[in-house]
Amino acid sequence: MLNAPSAVVADAGAASATLAPPRVADSPPRVTLTTETGTEFLLTADLSHQGACIAILPGPTGLDAPPWQATVTEYAGMDGGRLVKTRAAARRINLPLLIWAPTRPELLALKRQLVAAVIGGGCWLRVAEADGTARSIRVHYTGGLEGDEGADAAGLAYTRYGLQLTAPDPYWYGPERTETFRVHGAPRFLSHPAGSWTTVRSDTMTDPAAWTMTSGTPLTVAAEATATDGSHAVLPGGDRAETTAAFPYDGTSLYRITVRARAHPGPDGGPTPLLSAGLNGSAIGRPRMLAAARRPLPGGDWVELTGYAQGWAAPRPDDEDEAEAPAEADPATLPTGTTAVRPVLQADGAPVDVDHVTLSRLTPGSTTGTGEPHAMGFLPLRIAPSVIGDTGLPVDVSTDVDAWPVWRITGPLGRQDTGQPTVPIRLANLTTGGELLLDYGIPPGRTVVIDTRPGIKAVYLETSGGGRGENLWPRVEGPAALWPLIPGENRIAVTASGATDRSAVALTYQPRHLGA
């Protein structure tokens, strides 16, 4: 009930008995009507209120279950029919109101303000319970404020209205809720087909003796809380580090080198370092440093640098000791006859911090036919508040019907090294099987918005002012599955590549309810 007992309960011929004060949980709700401009009208004021006020009288309708429509196809020549579908229809709400004021001018001012505000556009009707829970529904005025000056409907300081509202969206909405997915230490989120890759070398850069510097100066190791094992190596600008140990190289297999690195903190305005990662192999006495991947490192965030190598190629006269980047669509190659390789890192322009280096090998039988790395896709990073597996992160949704989320994805995310294709950002509801793939590399600091709400359905790059920028619907791959959250537990999986500690994915939704 929207109204509290107001006075005395009396049986005929018996002494009156005043009701006991209601408990907090039994207190009447607070009902408000708020316009698009933010003007709020309290509709459940106590008549002891000082000044003009509005109170809902007994008899409001339309606050519980929405009207339900059933589409039935009648059988030809037979009794009955077949149910085709059911749906919730637009809701009608009727609120009997009493507007009262201590003086006639105050009454006129309040009712004129209410009429102008409600007829001017859409409003939010909100019912807030004493326990702190609240639900809202968007409504539009359809009638009831025409006025009736009959003896029982109005007086000098009061008037009655039967406010009629319609809600095209028949559901009540709960408070907005947000789940945030973040990267915490990118290397441990690497995900790939189980058993496909064999680690040849994994180095967390804690042993300077494991690397040989071109300059002859020992590799410096420093403590770092955000590094994998609590420390990282500092590679001076213009220097090159090569593993002391060599590893077998089979030209028929696919090799991958992965490096986690960042620009070494230095004075503002200094040069941006360029990091090359690759393999050093030799054949017939000709050394060659092959840059499987190369990337500038602006800013101070940890980033992943990944490159691939496979096969042999005849050496060219200019191959000696040359850092060469591979072609865009092909793994890099080493000189014919190379049987051993050493991972190599080279910093140009400014120093680089290196946290982790991994060399892995994929056998030809595990590839997708051609043996090229891009045929199987770049291996993604998982993004979550904690390390999660293929089972996803559980998100419990207290809603009566499906809730439609709004995604805000902040870069860098989905971006690759130069010469490697963008890998789609994947948003999946493992509980329902819904999946969305966005083939777009989000620049650092920029945000992509995916709004799945009915009547909106938008995918765009947000402008600096928070508005709609570039339309990214053409970058949505496959069926446009803007999936909802269902009542109860939803297991959400977010996978992407090119993530750093600045990357974030926020899922925001409002529970939807059948009644107030």
Side-chain angles (χ1 to χ4, degrees):
M1 293 182 60
L2 298 182
N3 300 79
S6 57
V8 174
V9 174
D11 291 330
S16 63
T18 303
L19 289 176
R23 297 171 297 172
V24 171
D26 297 330
S27 299
R30 185 177 190 271
V31 182
T32 57
L33 192 66
T34 304
T35 67
E36 291 180 335
T37 59
T39 302
E40 181 181 278
F41 295 91
L42 176 63
L43 305 184
T44 49
D46 191 311
L47 294 184
S48 63
H49 177 80
Q50 299 296 318
C53 62
I54 305 173
I56 296 179
L57 298 173
T61 61
L63 299 177
D64 293 324
W68 215 254
Q69 291 183 346
T71 302
V72 177
T73 300
E74 298 288 341
Y75 294 133
M78 298 174 58
D79 295 337
R82 178 175 62 87
L83 180 65
V84 178
K85 65 178 181 180
T86 61
R87 60 182 289 271
R91 178 195 296 264
R92 294 185 179 277
I93 297 175
N94 296 308
L95 300 177
L97 301 180
L98 171 66
I99 302 180
W100 178 89
T103 66
R104 177 72 176 175
E106 289 177 274
L107 171 70
L108 294 177
L110 179 56
K111 77 173 185 177
R112 287 168 181 172
Q113 183 186 15
L114 176 66
V115 170
V118 171
I119 294 180
C123 299
W124 283 97
L125 181 65
R126 183 173 187 266
V127 178
E129 299 292 342
D131 61 2
T133 61
R135 296 179 180 180
S136 302
I137 190 170
R138 184 167 175 78
V139 295
H140 298 267
Y141 170 77
T142 57
L145 297 182
E146 296 86 355
D148 181 355
E149 295 299 322
D152 295 330
L156 287 177
Y158 77 93
T159 188
R160 298 173 187 264
Y161 288 125
L163 181 60
Q164 300 167 22
L165 305 169
T166 186
D169 180 348
Y171 297 110
W172 292 81
Y173 285 79
E176 193 173 83
R177 300 177 182 178
T178 299
E179 298 284 347
T180 301
F181 302 74
R182 257 183 208 285
V183 172
H184 296 286
R188 60 178 180 267
F189 288 90
L190 284 175
S191 172
H192 43 70
S196 296
W197 292 93
T198 299
T199 300
V200 177
R201 167 81 176 193
S202 180
D203 194 321
T204 54
M205 310 305 290
T206 58
D207 181 11
W211 294 81
T212 300
M213 306 290 289
T214 301
S215 63
T217 304
L219 190 66
T220 302
V221 175
E224 172 57 66
T226 63
T228 304
D229 284 348
S231 62
H232 69 277
V234 181
L235 182 60
D239 210 343
R240 180 186 297 179
E242 177 180 307
T243 59
T244 304
F247 305 94
Y249 180 77
D250 171 12
T252 62
S253 298
L254 178 66
Y255 288 80
R256 180 186 69 194
I257 183 169
T258 304
V259 182
R260 187 183 190 227
R262 69 179 182 188
H264 183 72
D268 294 336
T272 297
L274 178 69
L275 176 63
S276 299
L279 302 174
N280 195 352
S282 61
I284 32 183
R286 301 181 61 85
R288 182 188 186 194
M289 186 276 183
L290 171 88
R294 182 180 294 163
R295 176 174 183 169
L297 302 177
D301 294 322
W302 291 109
V303 299
E304 292 283 345
L305 182 71
T306 301
Y308 298 87
Q310 184 181 41
W312 296 286
R316 300 188 302 271
D318 60 352
D319 279 347
E320 184 171 353
D321 201 33
E322 178 179 329
E324 178 180 314
E328 179 175 346
D330 301 316
T333 56
L334 284 161
T336 301
T338 299
T339 58
V341 292
R342 291 180 173 86
V344 181
L345 305 174
Q346 178 173 309
D348 294 307
V352 171
D353 292 341
V354 181
D355 170 37
H356 196 277
V357 178
T358 302
L359 177 64
S360 305
R361 175 177 175 267
L362 182 71
T363 59
S366 299
T367 62
T368 55
T370 64
E372 293 184 2
H374 310 310
M376 51 184 295
F378 186 82
L379 309 181
L381 295 176
R382 298 192 180 279
I383 303 175
S386 59
V387 181
I388 60 175
D390 291 335
T391 55
L393 179 77
V395 176
D396 190 60
V397 181
S398 298
T399 184
D400 294 337
V401 296
D402 292 352
W404 295 88
V406 178
W407 296 86
R408 292 179 56 82
I409 310 171
T410 301
L413 206 61
R415 299 181 69 84
Q416 297 299 306
D417 304 320
T418 302
Q420 295 184 17
T422 299
V423 173
I425 298 168
R426 174 176 174 263
L427 309 175
N429 188 332
L430 303 181
T431 303
T432 64
E435 182 177 88
L436 183 145
L437 299 177
L438 179 65
D439 186 11
Y440 183 75
I442 306 175
R446 299 299 301 275
T447 297
V448 166
V449 177
I450 302 176
D451 195 333
T452 71
R453 291 176 296 177
I456 300 178
K457 305 292 186 185
V459 183
Y460 59 90
L461 183 66
E462 190 174 66
T463 64
S464 57
R468 291 195 186 188
E470 179 184 356
N471 176 27
L472 297 180
W473 261 117
R475 308 302 290 271
V476 176
E477 287 193 345
L482 299 186
W483 45 264
L485 300 167
I486 62 174
E489 183 180 278
N490 295 252
R491 300 200 75 88
I492 307 303
V494 181
T495 58
S497 59
T500 73
D501 291 342
R502 295 174 59 193
S503 308
V505 178
L507 177 157
T508 300
Y509 67 94
Q510 284 185 278
R512 300 198 301 170
H513 302 286
L514 294 171

